[in-house]
Amino acid sequence: MAGVDTEELPKIPEEDMEAMNAAVGKGDLTEAAAKAKEALESIDKIPLNIAVTGESGSGKSSFVNAIRGLRDTDKGAAEMGVNERTMKTTPYPHPTYPNVIVRDLPGIGTPTFKPDTYLKQVQFSRYDFFTIISCTRFTSHDIGLAQELQRLGKKFYFVRSKVDQDLTNEKRNYDEGGKLKQSNAAMKRPLQYSESSILDAIRENCIKGLKAGQVTSPQVFLVSRWDFSKYDFPKLQGVLLDELPSLKRLALLRSLSNVSKEILEKKKQQLQTQIWLKSLASCAVAALPIPGLSTVCNIAMLMMSLKGFCRDLGLNEESLATLARQANKPIAELKAVIKSPLSEEITEDLVIKLLTKCAAGAVKFSTYVFEFVPVVGSVVSAAVSLPTTYFMLKNFLDAAADDAVRVLEVVMEGDVSNSEKQHENCSTP
Ligand SMILES: Nc1nc2c(ncn2[C@@H]2O[C@H](COP(=O)(O)OP(=O)(O)OP(=O)(O)O)[C@@H](O)[C@H]2O)c(=O)[nH]1
Ligand SMILES: [Mg+2]
């Protein structure tokens, strides 16, 4: 069996090391493991409720589908179109993380939803935050809603949709070389076409209108449903993560689409913090010896952990198929850069193979680690197994996170297809 030198193994962070020593030192790994399992399971139950509201036709349903990584025609997608569709509040649970629910709310001012009773009608208190969408400048209804949310201490973010249309329209004023066709001092257009200047102007214009409506420090994010990796959507994801309380942040982070390297890095860091708990649970909950290894562990639990990493990083057939569709690229092109196994390829045999690879070095490591900790009786086998499972999980996560970044790079190469693009306008002025 080829050994792994302890020098080559990644280091266990100090706090994990202390927690391991403490659990082993107490001699009651079973109880610690049960707690670890409970802590991990509770992550799946953290509720997160997101409200998406705005005028009819502003792009709410498109936004709801896109943040859940769905196409309009997919099962469970929010219904959308050019006629007014959203007449009632509809919950859309995230397909992979059903504890995250996005609600597509009707716009204020529709016949059944009057401005003065709107927030009560939609039961505002259940939401963790609101996104207010508009495809033009924000209306007096949007401003009124923001003022009321501000008064109630609820978080809200403005999303300016359909910026792809603004850019297309603006481009008409420039020739093929990007030079302004006709200079008009009143319009203050730059002489050379500049996407960032147009976007800055839209953003500033929205902020100015909102400030004039007494909205304090409004945050406006420009998006296009045709490419959520572009414009301000990745920034919006980052801000939401920064501003949510820690448990809710965890729920949101897992459900976010992998549209930026920053999000992938945050997901990796988050998963990294769970490795110790996963390792502990697998070594002491219904653990069995692995033939040929001085390791006792629960293979089924480890399989679930690895599959969980793949799911959170989008490394399974379904996520890749969705991503390939959205990027209009063959799925084989995405798979070509993936070096570690996909979720569907994770089997008991694979887990044993990965454990065997880590075992030799980890045993040496555990002798060193637990040298000063009194390890007795049945705890011994679980204790020496901890570093093996820990390193196996860590190595797998590192490789999977690298794969996810490479997949994202392939997706970002070139632009999203225009073939599906439509150019409907808002149904409200
Ligand atoms: N070009 C472009 N079109 C968009 C964008 N977002 C939405 N649309 C189009 O605008 C139309 C209305 O979008 P919906 O998502 O149904 O809007 P909604 O706010 O849910 O509408 P209601 O349910 O009627 O209130 C659809 O034809 C979408 O394809 C965008 O970012 N860019
Ligand atoms: Mg709708």
Side-chain angles (χ1 to χ4, degrees):
M1 179 173 60
V4 177
D5 198 308
T6 43
E7 290 299 310
E8 290 171 24
L9 291 169
K11 293 278 169 279
I12 298 182
E14 217 163 285
E15 60 268 30
D16 283 5
M17 206 59 253
E18 276 171 23
M20 275 194 206
N21 280 339
V24 175
K26 271 198 209 147
D28 191 357
L29 280 191
T30 318
E31 201 200 316
K35 288 220 172 88
K37 194 164 170 269
E38 225 172 80
L40 288 166
E41 283 167 358
S42 71
I43 298 172
D44 291 333
K45 296 183 190 133
I46 303 164
L48 184 72
N49 283 294
I50 303 170
V52 176
T53 181
E55 303 270 315
S56 175
S58 57
K60 297 182 292 295
S61 302
S62 308
F63 185 76
V64 167
N65 289 340
I67 53 175
R68 297 182 310 142
L70 294 179
R71 280 190 314 179
D72 308 332
T73 47
D74 287 342
K75 196 165 163 263
E79 201 183 328
M80 41 143 297
V82 280
N83 300 317
E84 194 176 301
R85 300 257 187 221
T86 315
M87 299 301 288
K88 53 184 183 352
T89 77
T90 316
Y92 293 101
H94 191 284
T96 316
Y97 311 96
N99 53 318
V100 176
I101 298 178
V102 189
R103 259 175 209 262
D104 185 351
L105 305 185
I108 292 187
T110 43
T112 30
F113 289 84
K114 304 274 177 261
D116 48 346
T117 50
Y118 182 82
L119 280 174
K120 211 167 151 207
Q121 278 176 291
V122 301
Q123 295 175 279
F124 75 92
S125 56
R126 65 168 115 165
Y127 299 107
D128 293 293
F129 61 87
F130 281 71
T131 45
I132 304 173
I133 304 199
S134 176
C135 57
T136 54
R137 65 174 63 87
F138 290 92
T139 64
S140 57
H141 283 150
D142 298 326
I143 292 175
L145 174 64
Q147 285 170 342
E148 195 54 16
L149 289 171
Q150 202 164 259
R151 196 182 65 76
L152 294 164
K154 279 270 160 199
K155 287 222 166 291
F156 56 90
Y157 304 89
F158 293 97
V159 173
R160 169 61 161 79
S161 62
K162 308 193 188 181
V163 289
D164 55 297
Q165 286 184 348
D166 295 85
L167 292 170
T168 308
N169 290 341
E170 197 59 22
K171 209 161 199 172
R172 295 205 171 96
N173 296 301
Y174 293 84
D175 66 19
E176 284 192 357
K179 293 244 172 331
L180 187 63
K181 284 181 190 163
Q182 253 184 338
S183 180
N184 178 343
M187 294 303 288
K188 285 197 199 145
R189 284 199 171 90
L191 295 175
Q192 186 67 33
Y193 177 81
S194 153
E195 185 173 294
S196 61
S197 310
I198 298 165
L199 297 174
D200 286 345
I202 297 172
R203 205 179 294 105
E204 275 162 30
N205 197 19
C206 288
I207 291 175
K208 208 167 121 196
L210 293 166
K211 280 189 174 162
Q214 312 304 319
V215 181
T216 322
S217 315
Q219 304 196 66
V220 177
F221 300 89
L222 311 190
V223 305
S224 162
R225 65 158 298 177
W226 301 115
D227 195 347
F228 273 84
S229 62
K230 257 178 131 179
Y231 313 117
D232 293 341
F233 189 71
K235 197 166 119 202
L236 172 63
Q237 290 186 326
V239 169
L240 292 176
L241 285 175
D242 286 346
E243 298 195 354
L244 274 175
S246 57
L247 280 179
K248 300 275 183 181
R249 187 180 307 149
L250 200 65
L252 178 71
L253 179 58
R254 296 198 326 161
S255 72
L256 291 179
S257 42
N258 299 324
V259 296
S260 72
K261 287 188 184 175
E262 288 76 20
I263 289 296
L264 281 173
E265 181 54 33
K266 282 189 171 146
K267 284 192 181 184
K268 181 185 165 186
Q269 282 170 12
Q270 179 46 49
L271 292 170
Q272 171 76 61
T273 64
Q274 294 168 14
I275 286 186
W276 145 240
L277 295 178
K278 286 178 189 288
S279 168
L280 175 62
S282 82
C283 289
V285 176
L288 289 172
I290 307 298
L293 285 178
S294 57
T295 304
V296 294
C297 61
N298 183 321
I299 295 283
M301 236 180 224
L302 289 174
M303 270 176 66
M304 260 169 56
S305 295
L306 297 187
K307 281 177 181 284
F309 291 163
C310 288
R311 177 198 58 193
D312 288 3
L313 295 167
L315 298 172
N316 55 41
E317 292 285 349
E318 203 186 332
S319 302
L320 289 172
T322 306
L323 207 56
R325 250 183 356 236
Q326 285 169 351
N328 204 31
K329 298 209 160 153
I331 191 167
E333 220 174 286
L334 272 52
K335 284 187 176 174
V337 296
I338 298 177
K339 295 181 183 167
S340 46
L342 292 183
S343 177
E344 289 78 1
E345 293 157 3
I346 293 166
T347 59
E348 283 196 12
D349 285 351
L350 178 92
V351 173
I352 294 172
K353 215 168 105 195
L354 296 175
L355 283 170
T356 312
K357 235 171 119 187
C358 288
V363 168
K364 276 190 232 160
F365 194 88
S366 66
T367 320
Y368 161 74
V369 166
F370 299 119
E371 201 174 345
F372 305 107
V373 183
V375 177
V376 283
S378 63
V379 174
V380 175
S381 49
V384 295
S385 306
L386 273 173
T388 307
T389 50
Y390 186 99
F391 288 131
M392 190 279 278
L393 290 169
K394 169 132 180 55
N395 285 347
F396 187 92
L397 174 61
D398 287 347
D402 288 349
D403 282 340
V405 169
R406 279 193 295 272
V407 169
L408 180 66
E409 280 166 355
V410 173
V411 168
M412 308 265 268
E413 272 165 23
D415 242 345
V416 171
S417 152
N418 287 323
S419 60
E420 266 191 290
K421 287 190 182 177
Q422 302 160 34
H423 291 284
E424 288 94 346
N425 288 313
C426 289
S427 51
T428 47

